[in-house]
Every structure is written in C-alpha cells, then in structure tokens.
Coordinates of all heavy atoms in Angstrom, one line a residue:
M733 N 19.5 0.4 172.3 CA 18.8 1.3 171.3 C 17.3 1.3 171.6 O 16.7 2.4 171.7 CB 19.1 0.8 169.9 CG 18.4 1.7 168.9 SD 18.9 1.2 167.2 CE 18.6 2.6 166.3
F734 N 16.7 0.1 171.8 CA 15.3 0.1 172.1 C 15.1 -0.4 173.5 O 15.6 -1.4 173.9 CB 14.6 -0.9 171.1 CG 14.6 -0.5 169.7 CD1 15.6 -1.0 168.8 CD2 13.7 0.4 169.2 CE1 15.6 -0.6 167.5 CE2 13.8 0.8 167.9 CZ 14.8 0.3 167.0
K735 N 14.3 0.4 174.2 CA 14.1 0.1 175.6 C 12.6 0.2 175.9 O 11.9 1.1 175.4 CB 14.9 1.0 176.6 CG 16.4 0.8 176.4 CD 17.1 1.7 177.4 CE 18.6 1.5 177.2 NZ 19.4 2.4 177.8
Y736 N 12.1 -0.6 176.8 CA 10.7 -0.5 177.2 C 10.5 0.6 178.2 O 11.4 0.8 179.1 CB 10.3 -1.8 177.9 CG 10.3 -3.0 176.9 CD1 11.2 -4.0 177.0 CD2 9.3 -3.1 175.9 CE1 11.2 -5.1 176.1 CE2 9.3 -4.1 175.0 CZ 10.2 -5.1 175.2 OH 10.2 -6.1 174.3
L737 N 9.4 1.3 178.1 CA 9.1 2.3 179.1 C 8.7 1.7 180.4 O 9.0 2.3 181.4 CB 8.0 3.2 178.5 CG 8.3 4.0 177.2 CD1 7.1 4.7 176.7 CD2 9.5 4.9 177.5
D738 N 8.1 0.5 180.3 CA 7.6 -0.2 181.5 C 8.3 -1.5 181.6 O 7.6 -2.5 181.7 CB 6.1 -0.3 181.6 CG 5.6 -1.1 180.4 OD1 6.3 -1.3 179.4 OD2 4.4 -1.5 180.5
A739 N 9.6 -1.5 181.6 CA 10.4 -2.8 181.5 C 10.0 -3.8 182.6 O 9.9 -5.0 182.3 CB 11.9 -2.5 181.6
T740 N 9.8 -3.4 183.8 CA 9.5 -4.4 184.9 C 8.2 -5.1 184.6 O 8.1 -6.3 184.8 CB 9.5 -3.7 186.2 OG1 8.5 -2.6 186.2 CG2 10.8 -3.1 186.6
E741 N 7.2 -4.4 184.1 CA 5.9 -5.0 183.8 C 6.0 -5.9 182.7 O 5.5 -7.1 182.7 CB 4.9 -3.9 183.6 CG 3.5 -4.4 183.4 CD 2.9 -4.9 184.7 OE1 3.4 -4.4 185.8 OE2 2.0 -5.7 184.7
R742 N 6.7 -5.6 181.6 CA 6.7 -6.4 180.4 C 7.6 -7.6 180.6 O 7.3 -8.6 180.0 CB 7.2 -5.6 179.2 CG 6.2 -4.6 178.7 CD 6.6 -4.2 177.3 NE 5.4 -3.4 176.8 CZ 4.8 -3.8 175.7 NH1 5.2 -4.8 175.0 NH2 3.8 -3.1 175.3
M743 N 8.6 -7.5 181.3 CA 9.5 -8.7 181.5 C 9.1 -9.7 182.5 O 9.7 -10.7 182.8 CB 11.0 -8.2 181.8 CG 11.6 -7.5 180.6 SD 11.8 -8.5 179.1 CE 12.9 -9.8 179.7
R744 N 7.9 -9.4 183.1 CA 7.4 -10.3 184.2 C 7.3 -11.7 183.7 O 7.6 -12.7 184.3 CB 6.1 -9.7 184.8 CG 5.7 -10.5 186.0 CD 4.5 -9.8 186.7 NE 5.0 -8.5 187.2 CZ 4.2 -7.5 187.6 NH1 2.9 -7.7 187.4 NH2 4.7 -6.4 188.0
E745 N 6.7 -11.8 182.5 CA 6.5 -13.1 181.9 C 7.2 -13.2 180.6 O 7.1 -12.3 179.7 CB 5.0 -13.3 181.6 CG 4.7 -14.7 181.1 CD 3.2 -14.9 180.8 OE1 2.4 -14.0 181.3 OE2 2.8 -15.9 180.2
S746 N 8.0 -14.2 180.4 CA 8.8 -14.3 179.2 C 8.6 -15.7 178.6 O 8.3 -16.7 179.3 CB 10.3 -14.0 179.4 OG 10.8 -14.9 180.3
I747 N 8.9 -15.9 177.3 CA 8.9 -17.2 176.6 C 10.1 -17.3 175.8 O 10.9 -16.4 175.6 CB 7.6 -17.2 175.7 CG1 7.7 -16.2 174.6 CG2 6.4 -17.1 176.5 CD1 6.7 -16.3 173.5
M748 N 10.3 -18.6 175.3 CA 11.5 -18.8 174.5 C 11.1 -19.0 173.1 O 10.1 -19.7 172.7 CB 12.2 -20.1 175.0 CG 12.8 -20.0 176.4 SD 14.1 -18.8 176.6 CE 15.4 -19.5 175.6
I749 N 11.9 -18.4 172.2 CA 11.7 -18.6 170.7 C 13.1 -18.8 170.2 O 14.1 -18.6 170.9 CB 11.0 -17.4 170.0 CG1 11.9 -16.1 170.1 CG2 9.7 -17.1 170.6 CD1 11.4 -15.0 169.3
T750 N 13.2 -19.2 168.9 CA 14.5 -19.3 168.3 C 14.5 -18.3 167.1 O 13.5 -18.3 166.3 CB 14.9 -20.7 167.9 OG1 14.0 -21.2 166.9 CG2 15.0 -21.6 169.0
I751 N 15.6 -17.6 166.9 CA 15.8 -16.8 165.7 C 17.1 -17.2 165.0 O 18.2 -17.2 165.7 CB 15.9 -15.3 166.1 CG1 14.6 -14.9 166.8 CG2 16.1 -14.4 164.8 CD1 14.6 -13.4 167.3
D752 N 17.0 -17.7 163.8 CA 18.1 -18.2 163.1 C 18.8 -19.3 163.9 O 20.1 -19.3 163.9 CB 19.1 -17.1 162.7 CG 18.5 -16.1 161.7 OD1 17.6 -16.5 160.9 OD2 18.9 -15.0 161.7
G753 N 18.1 -20.1 164.6 CA 18.6 -21.2 165.3 C 19.2 -20.9 166.7 O 19.6 -21.7 167.5
V754 N 19.1 -19.6 167.1 CA 19.6 -19.2 168.4 C 18.4 -19.0 169.3 O 17.5 -18.2 169.0 CB 20.4 -17.9 168.3 CG1 20.9 -17.4 169.6 CG2 21.6 -18.1 167.3
A755 N 18.5 -19.6 170.5 CA 17.4 -19.5 171.5 C 17.4 -18.1 172.1 O 18.5 -17.5 172.3 CB 17.6 -20.5 172.6
L756 N 16.2 -17.5 172.3 CA 16.1 -16.2 172.8 C 14.9 -16.1 173.7 O 13.8 -16.5 173.3 CB 15.9 -15.2 171.6 CG 15.8 -13.7 171.9 CD1 17.2 -13.2 172.4 CD2 15.4 -12.9 170.7
E757 N 15.1 -15.5 174.8 CA 14.0 -15.2 175.8 C 13.4 -13.9 175.5 O 14.2 -12.9 175.4 CB 14.6 -15.3 177.2 CG 13.5 -15.1 178.2 CD 14.0 -15.3 179.7 OE1 15.3 -15.4 179.8 OE2 13.2 -15.3 180.6
V758 N 12.1 -13.8 175.2 CA 11.5 -12.6 174.8 C 10.2 -12.4 175.7 O 9.7 -13.3 176.2 CB 11.1 -12.6 173.4 CG1 12.3 -12.7 172.5 CG2 10.1 -13.7 173.1
P759 N 9.8 -11.2 175.9 CA 8.6 -10.9 176.7 C 7.4 -11.5 176.0 O 7.2 -11.4 174.7 CB 8.5 -9.4 176.7 CG 9.8 -8.9 176.3 CD 10.4 -9.9 175.4
A760 N 6.5 -12.2 176.7 CA 5.3 -12.7 176.2 C 4.4 -11.5 175.8 O 4.7 -10.3 176.3 CB 4.6 -13.5 177.2
Q761 N 3.4 -11.6 175.0 CA 2.5 -10.6 174.6 C 3.2 -9.5 173.8 O 2.7 -8.3 173.7 CB 1.9 -9.9 175.8 CG 1.3 -10.9 176.8 CD 0.0 -11.5 176.3 OE1 -0.8 -10.9 175.5 NE2 -0.2 -12.8 176.5
E762 N 4.3 -9.8 173.1 CA 5.1 -8.9 172.3 C 5.0 -9.2 170.9 O 4.8 -10.4 170.5 CB 6.5 -8.9 172.8 CG 7.4 -7.9 172.2 CD 7.0 -6.5 172.6 OE1 6.1 -5.9 171.9 OE2 7.6 -6.0 173.5
T763 N 5.0 -8.2 170.0 CA 5.1 -8.6 168.6 C 6.5 -9.1 168.3 O 7.5 -8.8 168.9 CB 4.8 -7.5 167.6 OG1 5.9 -6.5 167.7 CG2 3.5 -6.8 167.9
L764 N 6.6 -10.0 167.3 CA 7.9 -10.6 166.9 C 8.9 -9.5 166.5 O 10.0 -9.5 166.8 CB 7.7 -11.6 165.8 CG 9.0 -12.2 165.3 CD1 9.8 -12.9 166.4 CD2 8.6 -13.2 164.2
A765 N 8.4 -8.5 165.7 CA 9.3 -7.4 165.2 C 9.8 -6.7 166.4 O 11.0 -6.4 166.5 CB 8.5 -6.5 164.3
A766 N 9.0 -6.3 167.4 CA 9.5 -5.6 168.6 C 10.5 -6.4 169.3 O 11.5 -5.9 169.8 CB 8.3 -5.2 169.5
A767 N 10.2 -7.7 169.5 CA 11.2 -8.6 170.2 C 12.5 -8.7 169.4 O 13.6 -8.7 170.1 CB 10.6 -10.0 170.3
M768 N 12.5 -8.8 168.1 CA 13.7 -8.9 167.3 C 14.5 -7.6 167.4 O 15.7 -7.6 167.6 CB 13.4 -9.2 165.9 CG 12.9 -10.6 165.7 SD 12.4 -11.1 164.0 CE 14.1 -11.4 163.3
L769 N 13.8 -6.4 167.3 CA 14.5 -5.2 167.4 C 15.1 -5.0 168.8 O 16.2 -4.5 169.0 CB 13.5 -4.0 167.1 CG 13.0 -3.9 165.7 CD1 12.0 -2.9 165.5 CD2 14.2 -3.7 164.7
Q770 N 14.3 -5.3 169.8 CA 14.8 -5.2 171.2 C 16.0 -6.0 171.5 O 16.9 -5.7 172.3 CB 13.7 -5.5 172.2 CG 13.7 -4.8 173.5 CD 14.7 -5.4 174.5 OE1 14.9 -6.6 174.4 NE2 15.2 -4.6 175.4
S771 N 16.1 -7.2 170.8 CA 17.3 -8.1 171.0 C 18.5 -7.7 170.1 O 19.5 -8.3 170.1 CB 16.9 -9.5 170.7 OG 16.7 -9.7 169.3
G772 N 18.3 -6.6 169.3 CA 19.4 -6.1 168.5 C 19.5 -6.6 167.1 O 20.4 -6.3 166.4
R773 N 18.5 -7.4 166.7 CA 18.4 -7.9 165.3 C 17.6 -6.9 164.5 O 16.4 -6.9 164.4 CB 17.7 -9.3 165.3 CG 18.6 -10.3 165.9 CD 17.7 -11.5 166.3 NE 18.6 -12.6 166.8 CZ 19.0 -12.7 168.0 NH1 18.7 -11.8 168.9 NH2 19.8 -13.7 168.4
L774 N 18.4 -5.9 164.0 CA 17.8 -4.8 163.2 C 17.4 -5.2 161.8 O 16.5 -4.7 161.2 CB 18.7 -3.6 163.3 CG 19.1 -3.1 164.7 CD1 19.9 -1.9 164.5 CD2 17.9 -2.9 165.5
D775 N 18.2 -6.1 161.2 CA 17.9 -6.5 159.8 C 17.1 -7.8 159.9 O 17.5 -8.8 160.3 CB 19.2 -6.7 159.0 CG 20.2 -7.7 159.7 OD1 20.3 -7.7 160.9 OD2 20.8 -8.4 158.9
L776 N 15.8 -7.6 159.4 CA 14.9 -8.7 159.5 C 14.9 -9.5 158.2 O 14.5 -10.7 158.2 CB 13.5 -8.2 159.8 CG 13.1 -8.0 161.3 CD1 14.1 -7.0 162.0 CD2 11.7 -7.6 161.5
R777 N 15.2 -8.9 157.1 CA 15.2 -9.6 155.8 C 16.2 -8.9 154.9 O 16.7 -7.8 155.2 CB 13.8 -9.6 155.2 CG 13.4 -8.2 154.7 CD 12.0 -8.3 154.0 NE 11.6 -7.1 153.4 CZ 11.8 -6.7 152.2 NH1 12.3 -7.6 151.3 NH2 11.4 -5.5 151.7
T778 N 16.4 -9.5 153.7 CA 17.2 -8.8 152.6 C 16.3 -8.7 151.4 O 15.3 -9.6 151.3 CB 18.5 -9.6 152.3 OG1 18.1 -10.9 151.9 CG2 19.4 -9.6 153.5
T779 N 16.5 -7.7 150.6 CA 15.7 -7.5 149.4 C 15.9 -8.6 148.4 O 17.0 -9.2 148.3 CB 15.9 -6.2 148.8 OG1 17.2 -6.0 148.4 CG2 15.5 -5.1 149.8
A780 N 15.0 -8.8 147.5 CA 15.1 -9.9 146.5 C 16.1 -9.5 145.4 O 16.7 -10.4 144.8 CB 13.7 -10.2 145.9
I781 N 16.2 -8.3 145.0 CA 17.0 -7.9 143.9 C 18.5 -7.7 144.3 O 19.4 -8.3 143.8 CB 16.5 -6.7 143.2 CG1 15.0 -6.9 142.7 CG2 17.4 -6.3 142.0 CD1 14.8 -8.0 141.7
S782 N 18.7 -6.7 145.2 CA 20.1 -6.3 145.6 C 20.6 -7.0 146.8 O 21.8 -6.9 147.1 CB 20.1 -4.8 145.7 OG 19.4 -4.4 146.9
G783 N 19.7 -7.6 147.6 CA 20.2 -8.3 148.8 C 20.4 -7.3 150.0 O 21.0 -7.6 151.0
T784 N 19.9 -6.1 149.8 CA 20.0 -5.0 150.8 C 19.3 -5.4 152.1 O 18.1 -5.8 152.0 CB 19.5 -3.7 150.3 OG1 20.1 -3.4 149.0 CG2 19.7 -2.6 151.3
P785 N 19.9 -5.2 153.2 CA 19.2 -5.5 154.5 C 18.1 -4.5 154.7 O 18.2 -3.4 154.4 CB 20.3 -5.4 155.6 CG 21.4 -4.7 155.0 CD 21.3 -4.8 153.5
R786 N 17.0 -5.0 155.2 CA 15.8 -4.2 155.6 C 15.4 -4.4 157.0 O 15.6 -5.5 157.5 CB 14.6 -4.5 154.6 CG 14.9 -4.4 153.2 CD 15.2 -3.1 152.7 NE 14.0 -2.2 152.8 CZ 14.0 -1.0 152.4 NH1 15.1 -0.4 151.9 NH2 12.9 -0.3 152.5
S787 N 14.8 -3.4 157.6 CA 14.4 -3.6 159.0 C 12.9 -3.2 159.0 O 12.4 -2.5 158.1 CB 15.2 -2.7 159.9 OG 14.8 -2.9 161.3
A788 N 12.3 -3.5 160.1 CA 10.9 -3.1 160.3 C 10.8 -1.6 160.2 O 11.7 -0.9 160.7 CB 10.4 -3.6 161.6
Y789 N 9.8 -1.0 159.6 CA 9.7 0.4 159.4 C 8.4 1.0 160.0 O 8.5 1.8 160.9 CB 9.8 0.7 157.9 CG 9.7 2.2 157.6 CD1 10.8 3.0 157.9 CD2 8.7 2.7 156.9 CE1 10.7 4.4 157.6 CE2 8.6 4.1 156.6 CZ 9.6 4.9 157.0 OH 9.6 6.2 156.7
C790 N 7.3 0.5 159.5 CA 6.0 1.1 160.0 C 5.5 0.5 161.3 O 4.8 1.2 162.0 CB 5.0 1.0 158.9 SG 4.4 -0.7 158.6
M791 N 5.8 -0.7 161.5 CA 5.4 -1.5 162.7 C 3.8 -1.5 162.8 O 3.3 -1.7 163.9 CB 5.9 -0.9 164.0 CG 7.4 -0.9 164.1 SD 8.1 -2.6 164.2 CE 7.8 -3.0 165.9
M792 N 3.2 -1.4 161.6 CA 1.7 -1.5 161.7 C 1.1 -2.2 160.4 O 0.0 -2.0 160.0 CB 1.1 -0.2 161.8 CG 1.4 0.8 160.7 SD 0.6 2.4 161.1 CE 0.9 3.3 159.6
G793 N 2.0 -3.1 159.8 CA 1.4 -3.9 158.7 C 1.3 -3.3 157.3 O 0.6 -3.8 156.5
V794 N 2.0 -2.2 157.1 CA 1.8 -1.5 155.8 C 3.0 -1.7 154.9 O 2.8 -1.9 153.7 CB 1.6 0.0 156.1 CG1 1.5 0.8 154.8 CG2 0.3 0.3 156.9
C795 N 4.2 -1.6 155.4 CA 5.4 -1.5 154.5 C 5.9 -2.9 154.1 O 6.7 -3.0 153.1 CB 6.5 -0.7 155.2 SG 7.3 -1.6 156.5
F796 N 5.7 -3.9 154.8 CA 6.1 -5.3 154.5 C 7.7 -5.4 154.5 O 8.2 -6.3 153.9 CB 5.6 -5.8 153.1 CG 4.1 -6.1 153.1 CD1 3.2 -5.1 153.1 CD2 3.7 -7.4 153.3 CE1 1.8 -5.4 153.2 CE2 2.3 -7.7 153.3 CZ 1.4 -6.7 153.3
D797 N 8.3 -4.5 155.2 CA 9.8 -4.6 155.3 C 10.2 -5.6 156.4 O 11.4 -5.8 156.7 CB 10.4 -3.2 155.6 CG 10.7 -2.5 154.3 OD1 10.8 -3.2 153.2 OD2 10.8 -1.3 154.3
C798 N 9.2 -6.2 157.1 CA 9.5 -7.0 158.3 C 9.3 -8.5 158.0 O 9.1 -9.3 158.9 CB 8.7 -6.6 159.5 SG 6.9 -6.8 159.2
L799 N 9.2 -8.9 156.7 CA 8.9 -10.2 156.3 C 10.0 -11.2 156.8 O 11.2 -11.0 156.6 CB 8.7 -10.4 154.8 CG 7.6 -9.6 154.2 CD1 7.6 -9.9 152.7 CD2 6.3 -10.0 154.8
V800 N 9.5 -12.2 157.5 CA 10.4 -13.3 158.0 C 9.7 -14.6 157.8 O 8.6 -14.7 157.4 CB 10.6 -13.1 159.6 CG1 11.4 -11.8 159.9 CG2 9.3 -13.1 160.3
T801 N 10.5 -15.7 158.0 CA 9.9 -17.0 158.0 C 9.7 -17.5 159.4 O 10.5 -17.5 160.2 CB 10.9 -18.0 157.3 OG1 11.2 -17.5 155.9 CG2 10.4 -19.4 157.2
I802 N 8.4 -17.9 159.6 CA 8.0 -18.4 160.9 C 7.5 -19.8 160.8 O 6.6 -20.1 160.1 CB 6.9 -17.5 161.5 CG1 7.3 -16.0 161.7 CG2 6.4 -18.0 162.9 CD1 6.2 -15.1 162.1
D803 N 8.1 -20.7 161.6 CA 7.8 -22.1 161.5 C 7.6 -22.6 160.1 O 6.6 -23.2 159.7 CB 6.5 -22.3 162.3 CG 6.7 -22.0 163.8 OD1 7.8 -22.1 164.3 OD2 5.7 -21.6 164.5
D804 N 8.6 -22.3 159.3 CA 8.7 -22.7 157.9 C 7.7 -22.1 156.9 O 7.6 -22.5 155.8 CB 8.6 -24.3 157.8 CG 9.7 -25.0 158.5 OD1 10.8 -24.5 158.5 OD2 9.4 -26.0 159.2
Q805 N 7.0 -21.1 157.4 CA 6.1 -20.3 156.5 C 6.7 -19.0 156.2 O 6.8 -18.1 157.1 CB 4.7 -20.1 157.2 CG 4.0 -21.3 157.5 CD 3.5 -22.0 156.2 OE1 3.0 -21.4 155.3 NE2 3.7 -23.3 156.1
P806 N 7.2 -18.8 154.9 CA 7.8 -17.5 154.6 C 6.8 -16.4 154.5 O 5.6 -16.6 154.5 CB 8.4 -17.8 153.2 CG 7.6 -18.9 152.6 CD 7.1 -19.7 153.8
N807 N 7.3 -15.2 154.3 CA 6.5 -14.0 154.1 C 5.6 -13.6 155.2 O 4.5 -13.2 154.9 CB 5.8 -14.1 152.7 CG 6.8 -14.3 151.6 OD1 7.8 -13.6 151.5 ND2 6.4 -15.3 150.7
Q808 N 6.0 -13.8 156.4 CA 5.1 -13.5 157.6 C 5.5 -12.1 158.1 O 6.7 -11.8 158.3 CB 5.3 -14.5 158.7 CG 5.0 -16.0 158.2 CD 3.5 -16.1 157.7 OE1 2.6 -15.8 158.5 NE2 3.4 -16.6 156.5
Q809 N 4.6 -11.3 158.4 CA 4.9 -9.9 158.9 C 5.2 -10.0 160.4 O 4.3 -10.3 161.2 CB 3.7 -9.0 158.6 CG 3.5 -8.6 157.2 CD 2.3 -7.8 157.0 OE1 1.2 -8.3 157.1 NE2 2.5 -6.5 156.7
A810 N 6.4 -9.7 160.7 CA 6.8 -9.8 162.1 C 6.1 -8.8 163.0 O 5.9 -9.1 164.2 CB 8.3 -9.7 162.2
C811 N 5.8 -7.7 162.4 CA 5.1 -6.6 163.2 C 3.7 -6.9 163.5 O 3.1 -6.3 164.4 CB 5.3 -5.3 162.6 SG 4.2 -5.1 161.1
M812 N 3.1 -7.9 162.8 CA 1.7 -8.2 163.0 C 1.5 -9.6 163.7 O 0.4 -10.1 163.8 CB 1.0 -8.2 161.6 CG 1.1 -6.9 160.9 SD 0.3 -5.5 161.8 CE -1.4 -5.9 161.7
T813 N 2.6 -10.1 164.2 CA 2.6 -11.5 164.7 C 3.1 -11.4 166.2 O 4.2 -10.9 166.5 CB 3.5 -12.4 163.9 OG1 3.2 -12.4 162.5 CG2 3.5 -13.8 164.4
L814 N 2.3 -11.9 167.1 CA 2.7 -12.0 168.5 C 3.6 -13.3 168.6 O 3.4 -14.3 168.0 CB 1.5 -12.2 169.4 CG 0.5 -11.0 169.5 CD1 -0.7 -11.3 170.3 CD2 1.3 -9.8 170.0
V815 N 4.6 -13.1 169.5 CA 5.5 -14.3 169.8 C 4.7 -15.4 170.5 O 3.7 -15.1 171.2 CB 6.7 -13.8 170.7 CG1 7.6 -12.9 169.9 CG2 6.2 -13.2 172.0
R816 N 5.1 -16.6 170.2 CA 4.5 -17.8 170.8 C 5.6 -18.7 171.3 O 6.7 -18.7 170.7 CB 3.7 -18.6 169.8 CG 2.5 -17.9 169.1 CD 1.8 -18.9 168.2 NE 2.6 -19.5 167.2 CZ 2.9 -19.0 166.0 NH1 2.3 -17.8 165.6 NH2 3.7 -19.6 165.1
P817 N 5.4 -19.4 172.4 CA 6.5 -20.3 172.9 C 6.9 -21.3 171.8 O 6.0 -21.9 171.1 CB 5.8 -21.0 174.1 CG 4.7 -20.1 174.5 CD 4.2 -19.5 173.2
G818 N 8.2 -21.4 171.6 CA 8.7 -22.4 170.7 C 8.7 -21.9 169.2 O 9.1 -22.7 168.3
M819 N 8.3 -20.7 169.0 CA 8.3 -20.2 167.6 C 9.7 -20.2 167.0 O 10.7 -19.8 167.7 CB 7.8 -18.7 167.7 CG 7.7 -18.0 166.4 SD 7.2 -16.3 166.7 CE 5.4 -16.5 166.3
R820 N 9.8 -20.7 165.8 CA 11.1 -20.8 165.1 C 11.1 -19.7 164.0 O 10.2 -19.7 163.1 CB 11.3 -22.1 164.4 CG 11.6 -23.2 165.4 CD 11.7 -24.6 164.8 NE 10.5 -25.0 164.2 CZ 10.3 -25.1 162.9 NH1 11.2 -24.8 162.0 NH2 9.1 -25.5 162.4
V821 N 12.0 -18.8 164.1 CA 12.0 -17.6 163.2 C 13.3 -17.6 162.4 O 14.4 -17.9 163.0 CB 11.9 -16.3 164.0 CG1 11.9 -15.1 163.1 CG2 10.6 -16.3 164.8
E822 N 13.2 -17.4 161.1 CA 14.4 -17.2 160.3 C 14.3 -15.8 159.6 O 13.2 -15.5 159.0 CB 14.6 -18.3 159.3 CG 14.8 -19.6 160.0 CD 14.6 -20.8 159.1 OE1 14.6 -20.6 157.8 OE2 14.3 -21.9 159.6
R823 N 15.4 -15.1 159.6 CA 15.4 -13.9 158.8 C 15.3 -14.3 157.4 O 16.0 -15.2 157.0 CB 16.6 -13.0 159.2 CG 16.4 -12.4 160.6 CD 17.5 -11.5 160.9 NE 18.6 -12.3 161.4 CZ 19.7 -11.7 162.0 NH1 19.8 -10.4 162.1 NH2 20.7 -12.5 162.4
Q824 N 14.5 -13.6 156.6 CA 14.3 -14.0 155.2 C 15.3 -13.4 154.3 O 15.5 -12.2 154.3 CB 12.8 -13.6 154.8 CG 12.4 -14.2 153.6 CD 10.9 -14.1 153.4 OE1 10.1 -14.6 154.2 NE2 10.4 -13.4 152.4
A825 N 15.9 -14.3 153.5 CA 16.9 -13.8 152.5 C 16.2 -13.7 151.1 O 15.8 -14.8 150.6 CB 18.1 -14.7 152.4
G826 N 16.0 -12.5 150.6 CA 15.4 -12.4 149.3 C 13.9 -12.7 149.3 O 13.3 -12.6 150.4
A827 N 13.3 -13.0 148.2 CA 11.9 -13.2 148.1 C 11.6 -14.6 148.7 O 12.3 -15.6 148.3 CB 11.5 -13.2 146.6
G828 N 10.7 -14.6 149.6 CA 10.3 -15.9 150.1 C 9.4 -16.7 149.2 O 8.7 -16.1 148.3
E829 N 9.5 -18.0 149.2 CA 8.6 -18.8 148.4 C 7.1 -18.5 148.7 O 6.7 -18.3 149.8 CB 8.9 -20.3 148.6 CG 8.1 -21.2 147.8 CD 8.4 -22.7 148.1 OE1 9.4 -22.9 148.7 OE2 7.5 -23.5 147.8
I830 N 6.4 -18.4 147.6 CA 4.9 -18.2 147.8 C 4.2 -19.5 148.0 O 4.4 -20.4 147.2 CB 4.3 -17.4 146.6 CG1 4.9 -16.1 146.4 CG2 2.8 -17.3 146.7 CD1 4.6 -15.3 145.2
V831 N 3.6 -19.6 149.2 CA 2.9 -20.8 149.5 C 1.4 -20.6 149.4 O 0.8 -19.7 150.0 CB 3.2 -21.2 151.0 CG1 2.5 -22.4 151.4 CG2 4.7 -21.4 151.2
R832 N 0.8 -21.4 148.5 CA -0.7 -21.2 148.3 C -1.4 -22.0 149.4 O -1.1 -23.2 149.6 CB -1.0 -21.7 146.9 CG -2.5 -21.6 146.6 CD -2.8 -22.0 145.2 NE -4.2 -21.9 144.9 CZ -5.1 -22.8 145.2 NH1 -4.7 -23.9 145.8 NH2 -6.4 -22.6 144.9
M833 N -2.3 -21.3 150.1 CA -3.1 -22.0 151.1 C -4.2 -22.7 150.5 O -4.8 -22.2 149.5 CB -3.6 -21.0 152.1 CG -2.5 -20.1 152.8 SD -1.3 -21.1 153.6 CE -2.2 -21.6 155.1
P834 N -4.5 -24.0 150.9 CA -5.7 -24.7 150.3 C -7.0 -24.0 150.6 O -7.2 -23.3 151.6 CB -5.6 -26.0 151.0 CG -4.8 -25.8 152.2 CD -3.9 -24.7 152.0
R835 N -7.9 -24.0 149.6 CA -9.2 -23.4 149.7 C -10.2 -24.5 149.8 O -10.0 -25.6 149.3 CB -9.5 -22.5 148.5 CG -8.6 -21.4 148.4 CD -8.9 -20.6 147.2 NE -8.0 -19.5 147.0 CZ -7.8 -18.8 145.9 NH1 -8.5 -19.1 144.8 NH2 -6.9 -17.9 145.8
S836 N -11.4 -24.2 150.3 CA -12.5 -25.2 150.3 C -12.8 -25.5 148.9 O -12.9 -24.6 148.0 CB -13.7 -24.7 151.1 OG -14.2 -23.5 150.5
G837 N -13.0 -26.7 148.5 CA -13.4 -27.1 147.2 C -12.2 -27.6 146.4 O -12.3 -28.1 145.3
D838 N -10.9 -27.3 146.9 CA -9.7 -27.9 146.3 C -9.8 -29.4 146.3 O -10.2 -30.0 147.3 CB -8.4 -27.4 146.9 CG -8.1 -26.0 146.5 OD1 -8.8 -25.4 145.7 OD2 -7.1 -25.5 147.1
A839 N -9.3 -30.0 145.3 CA -9.2 -31.5 145.3 C -8.2 -31.9 146.3 O -7.2 -31.2 146.5 CB -8.8 -32.0 143.9
T840 N -8.5 -33.0 147.0 CA -7.5 -33.4 148.1 C -6.7 -34.6 147.6 O -6.9 -35.2 146.7 CB -8.3 -33.9 149.3 OG1 -9.2 -34.9 149.0 CG2 -8.9 -32.7 150.0
Ligands
LIG1445 S1 7.1 -3.1 159.8 FE1 5.9 -2.4 158.1 S2 4.7 -4.2 157.7 FE2 5.8 -4.8 159.4

C-alpha cells in the first residue's frame, strides 16, 4: 500500500525497533508513523471511549490520531518522532496515562 518513491536510497541504512514486542527493521531517518504504515501496521491506537482503531491521518502533528507508547512513555505522536535504534513501541489502547514531567523548582 505504501511504497517509497526512492526506495533504494532510503533503505540503504536501516535500524531495528520493536513494535508490540516484534522486532522490525525500518529505514533510519524515518518517522515512526511512516515506518509503521510502511510495515502494514495501519491501526496505531484505539479510541478511549469506543475502542475504535485509529490510524495516522495528518502526518504533521495536528490530529493526534497517531498516539503510541514509546519506551514506556504514552501519548507520543508517531508522526513527529524519528525512529531510533532499539526504540520500543506499543500501539496505544485507549487513553494513555498522563505522565507529568518534572519542572524546575519541584521538590525532589
Ligand atoms: S498523524 Fe496527525 S498528529 Fe500524527
């Protein structure tokens, strides 16, 4: 369904990531959403209310339909994230837990 226009150039360098525990070789310098779509993983998450599968839509950080869990951090936009070697990705089921990032001045 999804094919690179310049496949030989993009596949020259590849890295390994895992998606839902399955190892996958993906092109380096690629967004995670593009890598997932290219590998046939069209449903990136399910909705919080009805559990309906959702896929990346805008591919530019606007719709938030591509939220996944990356290295145990939920609610990450796959279309705005470049793949990294060893990245662990899980498709997100429903609303991801909100993780508050520490701010300067927080008690330690
Ligand atoms: S696909 Fe729309 S925000 Fe990622």
